[in-house]
Amino acid sequence: MAVTIYILCILTSLACTWLLFGSYRRTRYRLLFWSGACFAVMTLNNLFLLLDKIVFPNIDFLPARLISAFFATCLLLYGLIYEKE
C-alpha cells in the first residue's frame, strides 16, 4: 500500500507541475512559474522518498530529501516575496 501512496504523490506533484507551467505559458503570470518550479522540485522530493523507503531501503536519502524540500520552499518564497503584480 505504501508504494501506491508514494507513486500517487509523485504523480500528483507532477500533474500540478504540468498544470502550473501550462498556465504560465498561457498567461505569463510569474507567480505561476515559481509555483510550478516549486512543484517540480517537490516531485523530485517525492521521488527521493520513494527511493529512500522502497527501492533502496539501505541507503539514506534523508539529506537529499531535506535539501530538495528546502529548495522547493525557497523557490516558492522567492516568488511570493519578489514577484509583484
Side-chain angles (χ1 to χ4, degrees):
M1 189 66 174
V3 175
T4 305
I5 292 172
Y6 293 145
I7 290 174
L8 286 174
C9 288
I10 291 170
L11 293 175
T12 302
S13 296
L14 190 61
C16 289
T17 302
W18 183 66
L19 290 170
L20 286 165
F21 279 137
S23 294
Y24 170 71
R25 276 194 313 268
R26 284 189 300 280
T27 64
R28 294 294 179 203
Y29 188 57
R30 297 280 299 168
L31 188 56
L32 289 172
F33 171 78
W34 293 111
S35 298
C38 174
F39 270 94
V41 178
M42 279 195 250
T43 302
L44 182 65
N45 187 15
N46 285 327
L47 180 64
F48 284 143
L49 179 63
L50 178 74
L51 292 173
D52 189 17
K53 300 296 181 184
I54 305 299
V55 180
F56 302 112
N58 296 332
I59 299 174
D60 186 22
F61 282 91
L62 183 62
R65 288 175 28 216
L66 291 175
I67 290 169
S68 63
F70 178 73
F71 187 61
T73 305
C74 287
L75 285 172
L76 188 59
L77 279 175
Y78 179 84
L80 289 172
I81 293 170
Y82 293 108
E83 293 298 328
K84 298 173 186 151
E85 200 168 315

PDB file of all heavy atoms in Angstrom, residues 1 8 11-12 16 22-23 39-40 42 47 49 51 54 63 67 69 80 82 84:
ATOM      1  N   MET A   1       0.815  -1.199   0.000  1.00  0.00           N
ATOM      2  CA  MET A   1       0.000   0.000   0.000  1.00  0.00           C
ATOM      3  C   MET A   1       0.866   1.275   0.000  1.00  0.00           C
ATOM      4  O   MET A   1       0.499   2.269  -0.606  1.00  0.00           O
ATOM      5  CB  MET A   1      -0.914  -0.030   1.228  1.00  0.00           C
ATOM      6  CG  MET A   1      -1.934   1.029   1.216  1.00  0.00           C
ATOM      7  SD  MET A   1      -3.066   0.734  -0.133  1.00  0.00           S
ATOM      8  CE  MET A   1      -4.245   1.974   0.150  1.00  0.00           C
ATOM      9  N   LEU A   8       1.380   7.737  -6.121  1.00  0.00           N
ATOM     10  CA  LEU A   8       0.311   8.725  -6.308  1.00  0.00           C
ATOM     11  C   LEU A   8       0.774  10.126  -5.919  1.00  0.00           C
ATOM     12  O   LEU A   8       0.395  11.105  -6.562  1.00  0.00           O
ATOM     13  CB  LEU A   8      -0.924   8.331  -5.509  1.00  0.00           C
ATOM     14  CG  LEU A   8      -1.733   7.172  -6.069  1.00  0.00           C
ATOM     15  CD1 LEU A   8      -2.856   6.792  -5.105  1.00  0.00           C
ATOM     16  CD2 LEU A   8      -2.307   7.523  -7.435  1.00  0.00           C
ATOM     17  N   LEU A  11       2.879  11.352  -8.835  1.00  0.00           N
ATOM     18  CA  LEU A  11       2.027  11.710  -9.969  1.00  0.00           C
ATOM     19  C   LEU A  11       1.229  12.984  -9.714  1.00  0.00           C
ATOM     20  O   LEU A  11       1.038  13.791 -10.627  1.00  0.00           O
ATOM     21  CB  LEU A  11       1.095  10.547 -10.316  1.00  0.00           C
ATOM     22  CG  LEU A  11       1.784   9.294 -10.868  1.00  0.00           C
ATOM     23  CD1 LEU A  11       0.764   8.180 -11.059  1.00  0.00           C
ATOM     24  CD2 LEU A  11       2.516   9.608 -12.152  1.00  0.00           C
ATOM     25  N   THR A  12       0.785  13.185  -8.487  1.00  0.00           N
ATOM     26  CA  THR A  12       0.048  14.405  -8.151  1.00  0.00           C
ATOM     27  C   THR A  12       0.953  15.633  -8.257  1.00  0.00           C
ATOM     28  O   THR A  12       0.559  16.654  -8.820  1.00  0.00           O
ATOM     29  CB  THR A  12      -0.539  14.304  -6.734  1.00  0.00           C
ATOM     30  OG1 THR A  12      -1.393  13.157  -6.663  1.00  0.00           O
ATOM     31  CG2 THR A  12      -1.340  15.541  -6.385  1.00  0.00           C
ATOM     32  N   CYS A  16       0.518  18.713 -10.921  1.00  0.00           N
ATOM     33  CA  CYS A  16       0.490  20.127 -10.513  1.00  0.00           C
ATOM     34  C   CYS A  16       1.558  20.925 -11.247  1.00  0.00           C
ATOM     35  O   CYS A  16       1.305  22.051 -11.684  1.00  0.00           O
ATOM     36  CB  CYS A  16       0.686  20.248  -9.004  1.00  0.00           C
ATOM     37  SG  CYS A  16      -0.706  19.682  -8.030  1.00  0.00           S
ATOM     38  N   GLY A  22       1.803  24.998 -17.614  1.00  0.00           N
ATOM     39  CA  GLY A  22       0.895  25.237 -18.747  1.00  0.00           C
ATOM     40  C   GLY A  22       0.147  26.552 -18.593  1.00  0.00           C
ATOM     41  O   GLY A  22       0.005  27.317 -19.562  1.00  0.00           O
ATOM     42  N   SER A  23      -0.303  26.847 -17.393  1.00  0.00           N
ATOM     43  CA  SER A  23      -0.970  28.129 -17.147  1.00  0.00           C
ATOM     44  C   SER A  23       0.008  29.290 -17.286  1.00  0.00           C
ATOM     45  O   SER A  23      -0.362  30.362 -17.768  1.00  0.00           O
ATOM     46  CB  SER A  23      -1.586  28.143 -15.747  1.00  0.00           C
ATOM     47  OG  SER A  23      -2.625  27.219 -15.657  1.00  0.00           O
ATOM     48  N   PHE A  39       6.758  22.975  -7.391  1.00  0.00           N
ATOM     49  CA  PHE A  39       6.178  21.641  -7.512  1.00  0.00           C
ATOM     50  C   PHE A  39       7.083  20.697  -8.293  1.00  0.00           C
ATOM     51  O   PHE A  39       7.072  19.484  -8.050  1.00  0.00           O
ATOM     52  CB  PHE A  39       4.793  21.713  -8.137  1.00  0.00           C
ATOM     53  CG  PHE A  39       3.708  21.876  -7.117  1.00  0.00           C
ATOM     54  CD1 PHE A  39       3.239  23.132  -6.783  1.00  0.00           C
ATOM     55  CD2 PHE A  39       3.170  20.777  -6.482  1.00  0.00           C
ATOM     56  CE1 PHE A  39       2.255  23.293  -5.841  1.00  0.00           C
ATOM     57  CE2 PHE A  39       2.182  20.926  -5.534  1.00  0.00           C
ATOM     58  CZ  PHE A  39       1.715  22.185  -5.203  1.00  0.00           C
ATOM     59  N   ALA A  40       7.887  21.214  -9.208  1.00  0.00           N
ATOM     60  CA  ALA A  40       8.839  20.362  -9.922  1.00  0.00           C
ATOM     61  C   ALA A  40       9.869  19.797  -8.945  1.00  0.00           C
ATOM     62  O   ALA A  40      10.202  18.605  -8.994  1.00  0.00           O
ATOM     63  CB  ALA A  40       9.526  21.155 -11.029  1.00  0.00           C
ATOM     64  N   MET A  42       9.355  19.533  -5.718  1.00  0.00           N
ATOM     65  CA  MET A  42       8.606  18.642  -4.819  1.00  0.00           C
ATOM     66  C   MET A  42       8.396  17.264  -5.451  1.00  0.00           C
ATOM     67  O   MET A  42       8.378  16.258  -4.744  1.00  0.00           O
ATOM     68  CB  MET A  42       7.270  19.259  -4.436  1.00  0.00           C
ATOM     69  CG  MET A  42       7.358  20.260  -3.334  1.00  0.00           C
ATOM     70  SD  MET A  42       5.762  20.604  -2.650  1.00  0.00           S
ATOM     71  CE  MET A  42       5.520  22.261  -3.213  1.00  0.00           C
ATOM     72  N   LEU A  47      10.135  11.639  -5.310  1.00  0.00           N
ATOM     73  CA  LEU A  47      10.902  10.548  -5.904  1.00  0.00           C
ATOM     74  C   LEU A  47      11.996  10.075  -4.941  1.00  0.00           C
ATOM     75  O   LEU A  47      12.216   8.869  -4.778  1.00  0.00           O
ATOM     76  CB  LEU A  47      11.514  10.994  -7.233  1.00  0.00           C
ATOM     77  CG  LEU A  47      12.343   9.952  -7.962  1.00  0.00           C
ATOM     78  CD1 LEU A  47      11.484   8.774  -8.374  1.00  0.00           C
ATOM     79  CD2 LEU A  47      13.013  10.576  -9.162  1.00  0.00           C
ATOM     80  N   LEU A  49      11.796  10.226  -1.766  1.00  0.00           N
ATOM     81  CA  LEU A  49      11.090   9.499  -0.717  1.00  0.00           C
ATOM     82  C   LEU A  49      10.817   8.061  -1.138  1.00  0.00           C
ATOM     83  O   LEU A  49      11.024   7.126  -0.358  1.00  0.00           O
ATOM     84  CB  LEU A  49       9.775  10.210  -0.373  1.00  0.00           C
ATOM     85  CG  LEU A  49       8.913   9.554   0.705  1.00  0.00           C
ATOM     86  CD1 LEU A  49       9.646   9.536   2.036  1.00  0.00           C
ATOM     87  CD2 LEU A  49       7.585  10.265   0.812  1.00  0.00           C
ATOM     88  N   LEU A  51      12.507   6.342  -3.378  1.00  0.00           N
ATOM     89  CA  LEU A  51      13.794   5.656  -3.415  1.00  0.00           C
ATOM     90  C   LEU A  51      14.284   5.311  -2.018  1.00  0.00           C
ATOM     91  O   LEU A  51      14.841   4.223  -1.782  1.00  0.00           O
ATOM     92  CB  LEU A  51      14.836   6.525  -4.130  1.00  0.00           C
ATOM     93  CG  LEU A  51      14.633   6.742  -5.622  1.00  0.00           C
ATOM     94  CD1 LEU A  51      15.652   7.753  -6.139  1.00  0.00           C
ATOM     95  CD2 LEU A  51      14.730   5.441  -6.387  1.00  0.00           C
ATOM     96  N   ILE A  54      11.394   2.559  -0.363  1.00  0.00           N
ATOM     97  CA  ILE A  54      11.001   1.337  -1.060  1.00  0.00           C
ATOM     98  C   ILE A  54      12.145   0.730  -1.880  1.00  0.00           C
ATOM     99  O   ILE A  54      12.496  -0.435  -1.722  1.00  0.00           O
ATOM    100  CB  ILE A  54       9.786   1.595  -1.979  1.00  0.00           C
ATOM    101  CG1 ILE A  54       8.628   2.199  -1.194  1.00  0.00           C
ATOM    102  CG2 ILE A  54       9.371   0.327  -2.703  1.00  0.00           C
ATOM    103  CD1 ILE A  54       8.089   1.339  -0.077  1.00  0.00           C
ATOM    104  N   PRO A  63      19.233  13.394   3.543  1.00  0.00           N
ATOM    105  CA  PRO A  63      19.826  14.697   3.182  1.00  0.00           C
ATOM    106  C   PRO A  63      19.310  15.224   1.842  1.00  0.00           C
ATOM    107  O   PRO A  63      19.005  16.416   1.717  1.00  0.00           O
ATOM    108  CB  PRO A  63      21.322  14.416   3.127  1.00  0.00           C
ATOM    109  CG  PRO A  63      21.525  13.225   3.992  1.00  0.00           C
ATOM    110  CD  PRO A  63      20.287  12.399   3.840  1.00  0.00           C
ATOM    111  N   ILE A  67      17.231  18.718   1.480  1.00  0.00           N
ATOM    112  CA  ILE A  67      17.737  19.781   0.610  1.00  0.00           C
ATOM    113  C   ILE A  67      16.721  20.126  -0.467  1.00  0.00           C
ATOM    114  O   ILE A  67      16.465  21.303  -0.746  1.00  0.00           O
ATOM    115  CB  ILE A  67      19.092  19.378  -0.002  1.00  0.00           C
ATOM    116  CG1 ILE A  67      20.161  19.379   1.079  1.00  0.00           C
ATOM    117  CG2 ILE A  67      19.488  20.295  -1.144  1.00  0.00           C
ATOM    118  CD1 ILE A  67      21.469  18.751   0.668  1.00  0.00           C
ATOM    119  N   ALA A  69      13.436  19.676  -0.342  1.00  0.00           N
ATOM    120  CA  ALA A  69      12.296  20.338   0.289  1.00  0.00           C
ATOM    121  C   ALA A  69      12.612  21.800   0.616  1.00  0.00           C
ATOM    122  O   ALA A  69      11.786  22.691   0.410  1.00  0.00           O
ATOM    123  CB  ALA A  69      11.875  19.588   1.545  1.00  0.00           C
ATOM    124  N   LEU A  80       6.758  34.435  -4.029  1.00  0.00           N
ATOM    125  CA  LEU A  80       5.749  35.162  -3.256  1.00  0.00           C
ATOM    126  C   LEU A  80       6.246  36.526  -2.804  1.00  0.00           C
ATOM    127  O   LEU A  80       5.484  37.492  -2.754  1.00  0.00           O
ATOM    128  CB  LEU A  80       5.326  34.341  -2.034  1.00  0.00           C
ATOM    129  CG  LEU A  80       4.486  33.114  -2.322  1.00  0.00           C
ATOM    130  CD1 LEU A  80       4.317  32.290  -1.052  1.00  0.00           C
ATOM    131  CD2 LEU A  80       3.125  33.507  -2.868  1.00  0.00           C
ATOM    132  N   TYR A  82       9.142  38.415  -4.059  1.00  0.00           N
ATOM    133  CA  TYR A  82       9.754  39.326  -5.017  1.00  0.00           C
ATOM    134  C   TYR A  82       8.964  39.555  -6.297  1.00  0.00           C
ATOM    135  O   TYR A  82       9.272  40.480  -7.030  1.00  0.00           O
ATOM    136  CB  TYR A  82      11.172  38.881  -5.349  1.00  0.00           C
ATOM    137  CG  TYR A  82      12.086  39.011  -4.176  1.00  0.00           C
ATOM    138  CD1 TYR A  82      12.536  37.879  -3.511  1.00  0.00           C
ATOM    139  CD2 TYR A  82      12.483  40.252  -3.707  1.00  0.00           C
ATOM    140  CE1 TYR A  82      13.371  37.995  -2.405  1.00  0.00           C
ATOM    141  CE2 TYR A  82      13.303  40.378  -2.613  1.00  0.00           C
ATOM    142  CZ  TYR A  82      13.755  39.251  -1.963  1.00  0.00           C
ATOM    143  OH  TYR A  82      14.558  39.359  -0.884  1.00  0.00           O
ATOM    144  N   LYS A  84       5.967  41.025  -7.960  1.00  0.00           N
ATOM    145  CA  LYS A  84       4.891  41.975  -7.682  1.00  0.00           C
ATOM    146  C   LYS A  84       4.039  42.137  -8.940  1.00  0.00           C
ATOM    147  O   LYS A  84       4.538  42.409 -10.007  1.00  0.00           O
ATOM    148  CB  LYS A  84       5.454  43.324  -7.266  1.00  0.00           C
ATOM    149  CG  LYS A  84       6.260  43.253  -6.022  1.00  0.00           C
ATOM    150  CD  LYS A  84       6.919  44.576  -5.756  1.00  0.00           C
ATOM    151  CE  LYS A  84       7.843  44.408  -4.583  1.00  0.00           C
ATOM    152  NZ  LYS A  84       8.978  45.270  -4.587  1.00  0.00           N
TER     153      LYS A  84
END
